[in-house]
């Protein structure tokens, strides 16, 4: 910008007037810059320097990255994950999921032929299959077909941020394969390392987005709960914390990983940090966006969708409280006590897969809205349906809650204390629960 400003001064001095027109009464002489000119030039140079410095600052690795690497690598070391059998297990799970998918397509083909020929013997089964197939096909269209048609992974759009794009595609493919294996072959899925690979992929996606899209605004408004605003960079950074929680969950809900973690002193420290003190020892390393600031940015919400997003934001806020204490703390406390039964473990593994998808796929839905691939209200509605699908599991979890009433009381107390919005009070609750479960595990929690 500086050379261009200098050329403007030359033109003005040659014409002899500040508005660039010729003057017959003034000789063509060089004019010295006025104080206002110098101030304007200095401000422009300063703005450019600040912009350059800001982009340089944004390119720096945040402290949360070093914390993430330290915790994840320590957990891997203590969990004894460094072996070729983990890769073999992952590849077998992917192959198993692919075979199940092909077999399911063949089954649907045969069922359709029977329906066309009038040979369907069980219409109830046929109806259930149609509904389930419709739901899966809709999700496939939203998450894979529509982005493919928009050129997310092909064409001119795919020339930038290639790692981020194709790691996102890998995440989606692995996620679908994990669900296929879980639904059709749970005995293999319960010991699979595929969920762990998906969770790691999610963390990589988070940091890839953080470093790739440095121009995103640093706002207190998350930008997610609106139909016009772009996601705040702080929101993208904040989301990495939840991806890290998912990585720990993928290890903690695997019997082999968990037992290896518990048998190592450093692993016990990692376990305590994630099970009892995640919002005290880890969460504080990441930025915080507030639901109260949602939609308050300059480019927030259109007036016609204001009520829709206000209700949706309140629904997300309510879910967050429920998820934080009963999908997070309660389940981790239960696993810490080694209390889940075989049937409960199957439920917990399915619930984990559902929650795993809400983290990274939520950001992807926002991208589809921002890129105008899908309507804003549709993508946000899908996100709400995705997170509230966990409430459908309450009847299945009823026995688990009733068996561990004291644990439910502890978590409900945590929700009440959370209303104070005081981190010290939350810290006291965390310490109290740690003491009770660590040194009084003989109580029938």
């Amino acid at each position: 910008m500086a050379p261009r400003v200098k050329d403007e001064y030359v033109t003005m001095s040659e014409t002899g007037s500040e508005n660039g027109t010729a003057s017959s009464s003034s000789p063509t002489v060089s004019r010295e810059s006025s104080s206002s000119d110098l101030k304007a030039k200095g401000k422009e140079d300063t703005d450019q320097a600040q912009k350059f410095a800001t982009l340089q600052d944004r390119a720096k690795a945040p402290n949360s990255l070093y914390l993430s690497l330290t915790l994840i690598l320590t957990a891997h070391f203590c969990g004894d994950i460094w072996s070729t059998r983990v890769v073999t297990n992952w590849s077998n799970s992917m192959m198993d999921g692919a075979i199940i998918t092909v077999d399911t397509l063949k089954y649907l083909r045969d069922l359709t032929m029977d329906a066309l020929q009038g040979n369907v013997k069980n219409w109830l089964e046929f109806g259930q299959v149609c509904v389930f197939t419709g739901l899966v096909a809709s999700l496939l269209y939203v998450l894979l077909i529509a982005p493919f048609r928009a050129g997310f992974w092909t064409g001119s759009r795919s020339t930038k941020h290639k790692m981020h794009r194709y790691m996102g595609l890998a995440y989606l493919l692995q996620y679908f394969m994990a669900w296929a294996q879980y639904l059709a072959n749970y005995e293999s899925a319960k010991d699979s390392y595929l969920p762990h690979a998906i969770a790691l992929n999610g963390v990589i996606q988070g940091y890839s987005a953080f470093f790739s899209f440095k121009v995103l605004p640093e706002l207190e408004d998350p930008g997610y709960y609106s139909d016009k605003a772009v996601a705040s960079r702080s929101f993208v950074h904040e989301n990495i914390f939840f991806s890290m929680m998912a990585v720990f969950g993928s290890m903690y809900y695997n019997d082999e990983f968990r037992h290896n973690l518990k048998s190592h002193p450093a692993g016990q420290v990692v376990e305590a940090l994630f099970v009892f003190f995640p919002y005290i020892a880890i969460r504080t390393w990441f930025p915080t966006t507030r639901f109260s600031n949602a939609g308050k940015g300059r480019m927030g919400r259109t007036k016609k969708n204001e009520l829709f997003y206000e209700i949706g934001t309140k629904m997300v806020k309510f879910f967050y409280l429920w998820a934080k204490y009963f999908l997070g703390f309660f389940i981790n406390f239960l696993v810490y006590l080694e209390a889940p039964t075989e049937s409960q473990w199957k439920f917990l593994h399915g619930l984990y897969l559902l929650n795993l998808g809400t983290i990274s796929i939520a950001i992807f839905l926002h991208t589809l809205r921002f890129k105008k691939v899908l309507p804003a209200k549709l993508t946000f509605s899908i996100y709400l349906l995705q997170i509230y699908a966990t409430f459908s599991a309450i009847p299945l979890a009823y026995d688990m809650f009733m068996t561990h009433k004291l644990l439910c009381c502890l978590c409900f107390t945590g929700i009440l204390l959370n209303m104070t919005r005081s981190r010290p009070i939350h810290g006291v609750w965390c310490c109290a629960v740690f003491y009770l479960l660590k040194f009084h595990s003989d109580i029938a929690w």
Side-chain angles (χ1 to χ4, degrees):
M1 294 292 291
R4 183 179 65 82
V5 174
K6 183 178 179 180
D7 290 341
E8 289 177 352
Y9 284 154
V10 170
T11 303
M12 290 162 57
S13 65
E14 288 177 347
T15 58
S17 69
E18 290 186 3
N19 61 9
T21 58
S23 174
S24 58
S25 62
S26 302
T28 307
V29 296
S30 175
R31 180 181 66 85
E32 292 186 6
S33 301
S34 67
S35 59
S36 59
D37 291 336
L38 293 175
K39 288 180 180 179
K41 182 178 183 299
K43 183 179 183 299
E44 190 166 352
D45 290 343
T46 301
D47 290 343
Q48 290 298 312
Q50 287 178 345
K51 183 178 180 181
F52 181 72
T54 301
L55 289 176
Q56 279 191 327
D57 291 340
R58 290 186 171 206
K60 294 179 181 178
N63 293 330
S64 64
L65 174 62
Y66 302 113
L67 177 70
S68 303
L69 287 174
T70 300
L71 291 175
I72 291 174
L73 291 176
T74 301
H76 277 70
F77 174 77
C78 299
D80 193 24
I81 301 179
W82 311 109
S83 61
T84 55
R85 61 184 175 78
V86 175
V87 179
T88 303
N89 179 285
W90 172 85
S91 61
N92 290 339
S93 293
M94 289 292 289
M95 184 64 67
D96 192 23
I99 292 172
I100 291 169
T101 301
V102 172
D103 290 343
T104 301
L105 291 174
K106 291 179 180 179
Y107 168 75
L108 291 174
R109 180 198 62 190
D110 295 340
L111 195 64
T112 303
M113 293 300 297
D114 289 341
L116 292 174
Q117 296 171 6
N119 296 329
V120 177
K121 297 180 180 179
N122 189 334
W123 285 101
L124 178 61
E125 177 189 359
F126 179 79
Q128 292 173 340
V129 170
C130 287
V131 172
F132 183 76
T133 303
L135 289 173
V136 173
S138 299
L139 287 174
L140 285 173
Y141 176 81
V142 168
L143 298 177
L144 286 175
I145 298 175
F148 260 118
R149 292 180 62 187
F152 267 51
W153 300 294
T154 57
S156 58
R157 278 190 174 184
S158 63
T159 57
K160 294 182 179 180
H161 314 299
K162 289 186 177 181
M163 175 184 171
H164 184 74
R165 290 177 181 274
Y166 291 107
M167 285 296 289
L169 179 60
Y171 183 100
L172 293 172
L173 293 176
Q174 289 179 99
Y175 188 65
F176 280 116
M177 293 300 103
W179 269 113
Q181 186 182 39
Y182 171 81
L183 294 172
N185 187 8
Y186 175 71
E187 287 303 312
S188 296
K190 68 179 182 179
D191 298 318
S192 173
Y193 300 121
L194 181 55
H196 183 62
I198 298 171
L200 283 176
N201 195 330
V203 172
I204 294 172
Q205 278 297 95
Y207 277 111
S208 172
F210 180 79
F211 287 112
S212 297
F213 308 112
K214 295 187 287 292
V215 295
L216 289 177
E218 298 277 5
L219 301 175
E220 293 182 356
D221 179 0
Y224 188 85
Y225 312 105
S226 65
D227 56 347
K228 293 174 63 180
V230 65
S232 166
R233 195 165 184 246
S234 298
F235 179 76
V236 173
H237 190 185
E238 179 183 31
N239 206 53
I240 299 172
F241 164 76
F242 299 102
S243 296
M244 280 187 59
M245 293 293 290
V247 171
F248 175 75
S250 69
M251 300 179 64
Y252 207 52
Y253 306 149
N254 182 292
D255 288 342
E256 183 181 2
F257 282 175
R258 184 175 66 260
H259 294 149
N260 290 338
L261 202 66
K262 284 176 172 288
S263 62
H264 197 286
Q268 294 174 14
V269 174
V270 172
E271 179 188 34
L273 289 176
F274 278 99
V275 173
F276 297 101
F277 305 103
Y279 295 92
I280 298 296
I282 305 174
R283 181 70 178 88
T284 52
W285 291 68
F286 295 84
T288 300
T289 57
R290 302 288 182 186
F291 287 112
S292 58
N293 294 322
K296 293 184 177 179
R298 185 174 60 87
M299 295 292 289
R301 302 164 177 168
T302 55
K303 289 185 177 180
K304 66 176 182 178
N305 292 330
E306 181 71 27
L307 180 61
F308 171 80
Y309 279 99
E310 282 183 1
I311 295 173
T313 302
K314 290 179 180 178
M315 291 176 66
V316 175
K317 186 176 182 178
F318 177 75
F319 166 80
Y320 179 76
L321 267 180
W322 148 260
K324 179 178 179 179
Y325 285 92
F326 281 93
L327 300 184
F329 282 120
F330 178 85
I331 292 177
N332 285 341
F333 294 163
L334 202 65
V335 176
Y336 179 81
L337 297 171
E338 299 288 347
T341 63
E342 283 297 321
S343 60
Q344 289 171 352
W345 265 122
K346 184 175 182 179
F347 164 75
L348 293 179
H349 284 141
L351 191 62
Y352 170 77
L353 276 181
L354 187 61
N355 290 331
L356 178 61
T358 63
I359 301 171
S360 295
I361 291 179
I363 300 295
F364 186 55
L365 288 171
H366 172 81
T367 304
L368 294 178
R369 187 273 287 176
F370 179 70
K371 294 293 186 180
K372 303 185 184 303
V373 177
L374 293 173
K377 292 176 71 172
L378 174 63
T379 56
F380 192 64
S381 297
I382 292 172
Y383 172 66
L384 290 176
L385 289 173
Q386 188 181 21
I387 62 176
Y388 269 81
T390 59
F391 285 94
S392 65
I394 290 180
L396 299 174
Y398 178 80
D399 177 64
M400 185 171 65
F401 290 142
M402 290 299 100
T403 307
H404 303 280
K405 295 178 181 178
L406 288 179
L407 215 53
C408 285
C409 289
L410 281 178
C411 292
F412 187 70
T413 302
I415 290 180
L416 294 179
L417 295 177
N418 191 91
M419 301 297 184
T420 65
R421 297 187 177 183
S422 171
R423 182 168 281 122
I425 291 177
H426 175 73
V428 170
W429 178 82
C430 293
C431 293
V433 174
F434 174 72
Y435 172 78
L436 290 171
L437 299 189
K438 177 72 174 177
F439 300 104
H440 295 281
S441 57
D442 55 324
I443 297 176
W445 292 104

